[in-house]
Amino acid sequence: MPTNPKNVSGENPQHSSVALLLIDVINDLDFDQGAKMAERAKVMADRIVGLRTQARNSGVPVIYVNDNFGRWQSDFRKLIQHCLGKRSRGRFLVRKLRPDSEKDYFVLKPKHSGFYSTTLDLLLEHLGVKTLVLTGIAGNNCVLFTANDAYMRDFRLIVPKDCVVSNSQEENDSALKQMATVLKADISPSTKLNLAKLAKN
């Protein structure tokens, strides 16, 4: 699965000032408190589906940034198949949010941040991205770490508060507050976002 600035179809990259990142949504939720997170993730998944549709209709690139779960020999397709397994707690999430367009991009990450030891920097540069819309799991972990690294790279940040979940609502609220206060992120709900308008700015 490609992680370079070309997509699956081999076409030239979409050029856009905005990109939508789906962080760790390909997830089996196999960890402590995963069952509780699964309940909160149901609403989040529907909101992200709406944003993803809006992004595609607006020519905004959709980038999956996903943990490799320590499976150093895996690729993105294998991760999807693993998380769709009958024993996967996150099966419902992956069914809703798995890539279904040849124009989607994929970046596998070894650690919390989507930027650490990945090609995300290079991809965003080629796409001409200045604003990142961050969604996914977990708000107080991988989303926060990615947001922090994006802020240090001078990206404008949008983290829709209805498109991220954490181990608890309290931890999620705290992470969102930190991103809004320290990283200057816009945490307005996804229903308030107009990606087509953002991409024109």
Side-chain angles (χ1 to χ4, degrees), residues 6 59 94 143 176 183:
K6 288 188 177 182
V94 181
V143 176
L176 284 167
L183 308 181

Side-chain angles (χ1 to χ4, degrees), residues 62-91:
V62 175
I63 305 173
Y64 287 80
V65 180
N66 222 90
D67 199 276
N68 66 8
F69 300 117
R71 299 165 182 262
W72 291 96
Q73 294 178 329
S74 294
D75 62 21
F76 202 76
R77 292 184 183 91
K78 289 182 180 179
L79 286 180
I80 292 173
Q81 291 306 311
H82 165 74
C83 293
L84 283 173
K86 291 182 179 180
R87 296 183 180 180
S88 171
R89 188 182 284 148
R91 188 179 184 185

Side-chain angles (χ1 to χ4, degrees), residues 105 120 130:
Y105 297 91
L120 185 58
K130 304 298 181 185

Side-chain angles (χ1 to χ4, degrees), residues 10 15 21 44 52 59-60 72 86 100 121 134 144 163 200:
H15 190 276
L21 269 58
M44 176 202 72
R52 186 179 64 178
V60 169
W72 291 96
K86 291 182 179 180
D100 57 7
D121 261 328
L134 305 185
L144 178 60
C163 290
K200 292 180 180 178

Side-chain angles (χ1 to χ4, degrees), residues 5 18 30 39 42 59 74-75 94 116-117 119 139 146 174 186 188 201:
V18 181
D30 184 19
E39 287 301 313
K42 290 177 181 177
S74 294
D75 62 21
V94 181
Y116 179 76
S117 293
T119 58
T146 301
S174 177
D186 180 350
S188 301
N201 292 338

Side-chain angles (χ1 to χ4, degrees), residues 70-184:
R71 299 165 182 262
W72 291 96
Q73 294 178 329
S74 294
D75 62 21
F76 202 76
R77 292 184 183 91
K78 289 182 180 179
L79 286 180
I80 292 173
Q81 291 306 311
H82 165 74
C83 293
L84 283 173
K86 291 182 179 180
R87 296 183 180 180
S88 171
R89 188 182 284 148
R91 188 179 184 185
F92 76 94
L93 183 66
V94 181
R95 280 180 167 177
K96 283 192 174 185
L97 293 175
R98 62 184 170 183
D100 57 7
S101 170
E102 290 188 348
K103 292 186 177 181
D104 294 341
Y105 297 91
F106 315 91
V107 174
L108 282 175
K109 61 185 179 67
K111 291 290 185 178
H112 308 83
S113 172
F115 288 92
Y116 179 76
S117 293
T118 75
T119 58
L120 185 58
D121 261 328
L122 180 61
L123 175 58
L124 296 175
E125 180 182 350
H126 277 262
L127 295 174
V129 173
K130 304 298 181 185
T131 298
L132 292 176
V133 182
L134 305 185
T135 67
I137 300 171
N140 65 330
N141 196 322
C142 294
V143 176
L144 178 60
F145 276 78
T146 301
N148 184 69
D149 282 357
Y151 178 75
M152 291 192 295
R153 289 164 170 78
D154 294 324
F155 285 101
R156 177 189 176 191
L157 291 173
I158 299 175
V159 187
K161 60 184 178 181
D162 56 344
C163 290
V164 295
V165 292
S166 303
N167 290 339
S168 71
Q169 189 59 50
E170 292 75 18
E171 289 173 302
N172 206 57
D173 291 342
S174 177
L176 284 167
K177 182 177 180 180
Q178 181 174 352
M179 286 186 275
T181 304
V182 179
L183 308 181
K184 314 304 180 187

